[in-house]
Amino acid sequence: MRTSVFIIKGNIVYSKDVHSLEVCEHGYLVCEENRILGVYQTLPFRYGGIPIEDYGDRLIIPGLVDLHVHAPQYSFRGLGMDMELLEWLETNTFPEEAKFQDEEYAKQAYRIFVGHLRKGATTRACIFATVHRPATLLLMDMLEASGMKTLVGKVNMDRNCPNYIQETTEESAEETIRWLREVKQRAYEHTQPILTPRFIPGCSDALMERLKEIQMSNQLPVQSHLSENPSEIDWVKRLCPKAEFYGDAYDQFGLFGRDCKTVMAHCVYSEREELERIKENGVYIAHCPESNINLSSGVAPVRKFLDMGLRVGMGSDVAAGSSVNLFTAMAHAIQASKLRWRMLDNSLKPLTVEEVFYMATKGGGAFFGKAGSFEPGYEMDAVVLDDSGLKHPQELTVKQRLERMVYLSDDRQIYAKYVGGKKLELENW
Ligand code: GUN
Ligand code: FE
């Protein structure tokens, strides 16, 4: 038998499709190097003799995928939550992000962020940095050392923000090219660049054109924000009178799916035409329910996204979301969908645990390729959860135990974590 095969054992839970959970109690997860070979209730004879890491009665789930998080904003999470998006950006976000000009400050702040992300259930993430190239590289160095798989973007913005953080068009493009060159030299194994125009109000047409050239010559994926807040959307209408809708303003520059893999956060107010374009272009949506609550943005019609067969994952959107814990994000997604159903539109039924779990694993994982499930051929990202500290007197099924994780868990339940087949050290971070 090949020595690169290894096996972990426990109560295995994962998604194959959006509406149901696969549960294998006291099952075997057989892996080879970085890939899943299969989940088995009884270990096939051919795998006999291979050492088994037995996690007993603990739960084993695929690593969670955060499709939208701002690393520099981790430092002010939980603060200034009484504003809407545009005021919040001016008052909280831009002043804090400006501090990342200082590499010492960036090092301190990013160490805290990476340390906390590593201790949680997240194994993959799409991450915004700031406009600053050196600090973005620092963040990428730290993420690389953490072993998690991430896509990280140096933010681009050349208009409608304070001088102290605004780039010129030329600077924004040139610094991005230089950043990409420096990333290439580092030859990271786990950390890759993603093009990150902040949002349409922050990027001129000239910059968007330059970014498309850069996207094409480097074959980069793209991340940004879309249809988050009513004032923002009105502003985009004024800034881009030729665009049919907000998403079209990205699409006109070729930065909205099709030939470049794209993830857009929010889509709270995306209407039929925009959703159809999202579907047609294969754009991913990062659903960020806590952010949408905190900034009074609203509640995205996720049921509609799912019914349309759109690609949807979960995002923490720290710091508009206060926590990088994606279990918490799953709970918020369910809770927000219930309020939306009761108060706004009773045709869109609330989300279920199965659905939000799918979004946080296989749904978002698809942005990274074959990630977020335990089906054969998927990358081996797994989290072992120890829920024994959350005491209960009654018998619970494995599914019920997972459900409790969604509502009750924090980092104390993270017992072990594997990314790409490698077990990460959880202490000393
Ligand atoms: N739109 C543009 N920038 C941001 C940001 O930093 N956070 C959120 N939630 N929305 C944005
Ligand atoms: Fe965001």
Side-chain angles (χ1 to χ4, degrees):
M1 176 53 66
R2 295 154 297 190
T3 52
S4 52
V5 176
F6 64 101
I7 301 168
I8 64 175
K9 185 169 184 230
N11 291 309
I12 299 168
V13 191
Y14 64 104
S15 300
K16 284 185 187 167
D17 63 60
V18 65
H19 300 299
S20 55
L21 287 174
E22 303 294 317
V23 176
C24 185
E25 289 186 37
H26 300 289
Y28 300 86
L29 184 64
V30 182
C31 318
E32 182 171 25
E33 288 181 359
N34 60 336
R35 298 275 163 190
I36 305 288
L37 291 178
V39 174
Y40 302 97
Q41 186 67 74
T42 312
L43 192 65
F45 183 73
R46 62 184 179 281
Y47 300 125
I50 294 173
I52 297 168
E53 175 97 62
D54 189 347
Y55 287 109
D57 198 35
R58 297 182 182 93
L59 305 175
I60 302 177
I61 62 166
L64 305 185
V65 181
D66 192 340
L67 272 192
H68 186 81
V69 56
H70 298 257
Q73 297 178 13
Y74 195 75
S75 45
F76 70 94
R77 83 213 131 93
L79 297 173
M81 291 297 190
D82 49 359
M83 288 170 248
E84 288 190 48
L85 172 67
L86 300 177
E87 189 192 2
W88 175 82
L89 286 172
E90 291 285 330
T91 314
N92 291 333
T93 311
F94 294 146
E96 180 59 29
E97 289 194 10
K99 295 181 192 164
F100 288 72
Q101 167 82 27
D102 175 352
E103 288 179 54
E104 265 318 302
Y105 185 82
K107 207 178 275 177
Q108 267 186 43
Y110 283 152
R111 192 174 292 130
I112 298 169
F113 167 75
V114 175
H116 285 187
L117 199 64
R118 188 177 156 113
K119 280 189 199 308
T122 300
T123 50
R124 293 177 189 249
C126 291
I127 302 177
F128 280 56
T130 61
V131 292
H132 313 99
R133 175 181 46 78
T136 304
L137 287 164
L138 260 174
L139 171 64
M140 294 178 86
D141 288 347
M142 286 183 202
L143 286 164
E144 176 70 9
S146 80
M148 291 179 287
K149 303 265 183 197
T150 56
L151 291 164
V152 184
K154 175 212 152 336
V155 169
N156 298 101
M157 49 180 181
D158 71 338
R159 67 174 178 185
N160 295 318
C161 56
N163 283 337
Y164 59 77
I165 200 165
Q166 185 166 313
E167 312 169 283
T168 65
T169 307
E170 195 51 28
E171 218 176 2
S172 189
E174 286 305 317
E175 282 292 281
T176 302
I177 291 167
R178 192 167 157 198
W179 164 63
L180 292 168
R181 202 182 307 131
E182 289 171 357
V183 167
K184 208 169 270 174
Q185 282 162 1
R186 280 163 153 84
Y188 294 125
E189 190 184 344
H190 312 296
T191 320
Q192 299 303 327
I194 181 166
L195 201 63
T196 306
R198 182 169 209 123
F199 64 159
I200 289 290
C203 299
S204 68
D205 289 4
L207 178 58
M208 294 295 273
E209 280 169 15
R210 294 293 306 273
L211 293 181
K212 179 59 187 175
E213 290 166 14
I214 296 171
Q215 187 275 321
M216 285 199 298
S217 45
N218 295 274
Q219 285 305 304
L220 293 173
V222 174
Q223 61 180 353
S224 195
H225 297 92
L226 180 63
S227 300
E228 177 177 4
N229 165 286
S231 312
E232 172 214 21
I233 295 166
D234 284 345
W235 197 15
V236 171
K237 275 190 193 134
R238 292 196 299 277
L239 288 167
C240 309
K242 290 198 197 114
E244 291 170 47
F245 43 83
Y246 191 161
D248 189 46
Y250 292 105
D251 206 12
Q252 287 180 347
F253 294 100
L255 295 171
F256 200 65
R258 287 187 223 269
D259 59 343
C260 67
K261 198 178 258 196
T262 302
V263 56
M264 288 285 162
H266 307 305
C267 304
V268 175
Y269 294 98
S270 297
E271 291 180 357
R272 193 177 48 81
E273 280 187 303
E274 184 160 276
L275 293 175
E276 281 169 2
R277 187 78 59 87
I278 284 171
K279 180 165 180 155
E280 204 177 297
N281 290 13
V283 170
Y284 287 74
I285 297 173
H287 176 45
C288 308
E290 198 205 346
S291 162
N292 298 156
I293 294 167
N294 289 336
L295 298 184
S296 307
S297 301
V299 184
V302 182
R303 167 68 55 217
K304 196 188 293 176
F305 302 164
L306 297 180
D307 287 349
M308 285 180 72
L310 307 186
R311 303 169 180 194
V312 194
M314 294 297 311
S316 65
D317 197 20
V318 158
S322 64
S323 168
V324 286
N325 182 343
L326 284 179
F327 285 118
T328 308
M330 289 184 227
H332 283 132
I334 296 174
Q335 290 163 335
S337 73
K338 287 177 177 168
L339 289 177
R340 193 181 198 285
W341 172 63
R342 180 62 71 205
M343 303 181 76
L344 191 67
D345 182 355
N346 65 12
S347 75
L348 297 179
K349 285 264 185 304
L351 298 173
T352 63
V353 169
E354 287 85 346
E355 288 161 344
V356 295
F357 184 74
Y358 173 90
M359 283 157 47
T361 55
K362 193 174 176 181
F367 196 72
F368 288 80
K370 280 194 147 189
S373 182
F374 290 151
E375 291 162 90
Y378 270 69
E379 289 203 56
M380 196 281 182
D381 298 350
V383 175
V384 181
L385 300 167
D386 186 335
D387 58 349
S388 60
L390 298 169
K391 302 244 176 270
H392 52 91
Q394 78 281 43
E395 286 282 317
L396 293 176
T397 63
V398 167
K399 195 206 143 186
Q400 286 175 318
R401 288 169 59 193
L402 179 75
E403 193 171 349
R404 277 180 14 128
M405 288 295 95
V406 168
Y407 286 93
L408 307 179
S409 74
D410 55 38
D411 293 350
R412 287 172 292 184
Q413 281 74 49
I414 312 299
Y415 188 77
K417 181 163 158 176
Y418 294 79
V419 185
K422 294 211 176 72
K423 191 171 175 178
L424 304 193
E425 173 73 54
L426 291 179
E427 301 304 318
N428 309 318
W429 268 80

